Amino acid sequence: MVAIELDGVRKAFDDAVALADVSLSVEEGEFFTLVGPSGCGKTTTLRTIAGLSAPTDGTVRFDGADVSDTPVEERNVGVVFQSYALFPHMTVAENVRYGLRFTDPPRGLTADERVDELLELVDLPDMGDREPDELSGGQQQRVALARALAPEPDVLLLDEPMSALDARLREQLRREIKRIQKELGVTTVYVTHDQEEALAVSDRLAVMHDGGVEQVGTPVDVYERPATEFVASFVGENNVFSGVVAGREGDELAIEVDEKAPAGHRFRVAAAEDHAVGDRVTFCVRPTKLSPDANANRVTVALDATEYLGGTTRLYGEWAGREVVLRLPEPPDGDAIIVGFDPADATVL
Ligand code: ATP
């Protein structure tokens, strides 16, 4: 297994800059995810790691060695793309065996033994003689995974491998991929635009935006301590406020927000870093942290829409001219609700 490093990687096409400046490190055996909205550069980053796209500037290293100019077939990477890309005229076993076209099977196995081992691993034993069109989408993607794993790659690269599948199947398959990844210990880079999926599967993730990396961290880091406003809003729902520090008491700031709040209204927000009176700050509060039971920072939210989600209710409302999102166990009565939040539950960005 190898560690991967991208150092100042830039990728320009004739009329577009796909990657502005990407630096990140993936540890040996890690499940690392690139997540971000469409067009932010996830696929280009993955293709650069694979050796399918040469960086315009910057360096790619595997275990410290510069592989920026090493072609894909010499990098020992396995890649699974969005589309199944199985050969329709070949059986499942032949498709998996195709993964061994550049190398001998590992550990002295015969090709047949290796194919059987892989079909067992992806939970498709006895399916070797079928043709791809006799399999479901989820099964086809498992075959594609088995094919990518056939040569025992040092690095597994997965580009939205589940985007064609329905929600329930995605959840099933992502658990399966995670199990296989841990079993093999293969360094894995996974691309998705789905932030919930990224939180669910990753050891660490990089949130990308406009060809750059906004934040790298564990799912808990990124969700609980977003580094930027973009991360705060992209990863999970959030309420983001900006304003000016009007006072300071201990480790709490009093903040006058930009919204059309009632005169003299200030939010109290815990802040680890020093902020002087007059500084501009942005902070966020998760919908789950806004509660009718909180004594501090109480505001009246006029409710616009309610979505019952089974076990929880999402409420959209308005306070001081801006949208506020709440999550409550039960939908409240009436068309307004008073909620507050604990100063420690706000995150200053
Ligand atoms: P998606 O989730 O939609 O697949 P992405 O985050 O994977 O998006 P990329 O495919 O890496 O994004 O593309 C990043 C940017 O680079 C986009 O603006 C895209 O249009 C541009 N781009 C990618 N490939 C090329 C190419 N071959 N020629 C020109 N521009 C390209």
Side-chain angles (χ1 to χ4, degrees):
M1 301 314 135
V2 307
I4 304 164
E5 215 180 321
L6 268 59
D7 191 358
V9 169
R10 206 174 74 82
K11 178 70 181 181
F13 294 102
D14 290 344
D15 52 353
V17 175
L19 302 179
D21 179 5
V22 171
S23 296
L24 50 86
S25 308
V26 182
E27 289 167 22
E28 203 181 309
E30 192 170 33
F31 197 119
F32 190 92
T33 300
L34 304 170
V35 65
S38 182
C40 70
K42 306 178 294 292
T43 295
T44 306
T45 304
L46 199 81
R47 289 173 58 81
T48 306
I49 296 171
L52 294 164
S53 166
T56 310
D57 291 305
T59 311
V60 182
R61 296 188 196 92
F62 282 8
D63 274 346
D66 187 344
V67 294
S68 309
D69 298 321
T70 307
V72 56
E73 60 276 11
E74 288 171 27
R75 288 197 193 187
N76 199 19
V77 294
V79 191
V80 180
F81 294 105
Q82 240 169 63
S83 57
Y84 316 127
L86 298 181
F87 297 109
H89 56 282
M90 289 187 190
T91 64
V92 164
E94 286 164 350
N95 267 285
V96 176
R97 187 188 288 234
Y98 187 79
L100 293 168
R101 66 198 176 287
F102 296 127
T103 48
D104 289 332
R107 290 172 276 117
L109 297 172
T110 65
D112 283 345
E113 284 166 348
R114 180 63 177 149
V115 169
D116 286 348
E117 184 180 73
L118 287 157
L119 290 178
E120 194 80 41
L121 180 74
V122 299
D123 208 16
L124 293 175
D126 312 323
M127 296 272 191
D129 293 333
R130 294 215 191 165
E131 304 229 322
D133 66 2
E134 294 172 304
L135 301 182
S136 71
Q139 290 172 329
Q140 289 184 45
Q141 230 14 352
R142 285 168 198 241
V143 176
L145 181 63
R147 182 177 62 187
L149 290 171
E152 281 192 347
D154 291 326
V155 174
L156 178 63
L157 303 173
L158 305 164
D159 190 356
E160 305 239 15
M162 302 188 289
S163 57
L165 307 176
D166 69 53
R168 186 165 292 261
L169 202 54
R170 286 173 73 105
E171 282 173 24
Q172 235 174 44
L173 192 60
R174 82 185 181 207
R175 281 203 302 275
E176 191 74 352
I177 289 177
K178 179 93 183 183
R179 172 189 68 77
I180 291 168
Q181 192 269 339
K182 286 292 163 222
E183 199 173 314
L184 301 178
V186 56
T187 309
T188 299
V189 183
Y190 184 82
V191 162
T192 180
H193 63 272
D194 180 337
Q195 43 85 26
E196 188 192 300
E197 193 163 281
L199 293 176
V201 297
S202 316
D203 294 321
R204 289 187 310 145
L205 56 149
V207 182
M208 296 188 68
H209 178 46
D210 274 351
V213 175
E214 292 266 322
Q215 185 172 4
V216 177
T218 64
V220 173
D221 279 341
V222 169
Y223 187 85
E224 303 281 346
R225 292 173 287 281
T228 66
E229 189 171 340
F230 176 80
V231 175
S233 308
F234 183 77
V235 182
E237 299 168 308
N238 227 330
N239 296 290
V240 182
F241 298 91
S242 294
V244 174
V245 177
R248 183 172 181 111
E249 208 173 291
D251 63 354
E252 279 180 19
L253 306 176
I255 299 172
E256 276 175 17
V257 291
D258 299 340
E259 281 72 23
K260 297 181 225 91
H265 176 91
R266 292 171 176 187
F267 281 119
R268 280 171 43 218
V269 166
E273 284 178 39
D274 221 8
H275 290 281
V277 170
D279 280 357
R280 277 201 72 75
V281 289
T282 299
F283 67 94
C284 58
V285 189
R286 292 281 177 199
T288 47
K289 303 293 187 190
L290 287 168
S291 159
D293 302 327
N295 294 321
N297 295 311
R298 287 171 75 78
V299 293
T300 302
V301 177
L303 298 173
D304 296 326
T306 303
E307 290 176 354
Y308 177 68
L309 301 173
T312 164
T313 305
R314 184 193 284 133
L315 302 152
Y316 295 98
E318 193 208 294
W319 170 77
R322 62 156 290 151
E323 184 177 78
V324 176
V325 186
L326 314 172
R327 283 270 189 152
L328 297 176
E330 307 278 342
D333 294 328
D335 52 12
I337 183 171
I338 299 176
V339 291
F341 62 90
D342 189 317
D345 284 336
T347 304
V348 178
L349 304 176

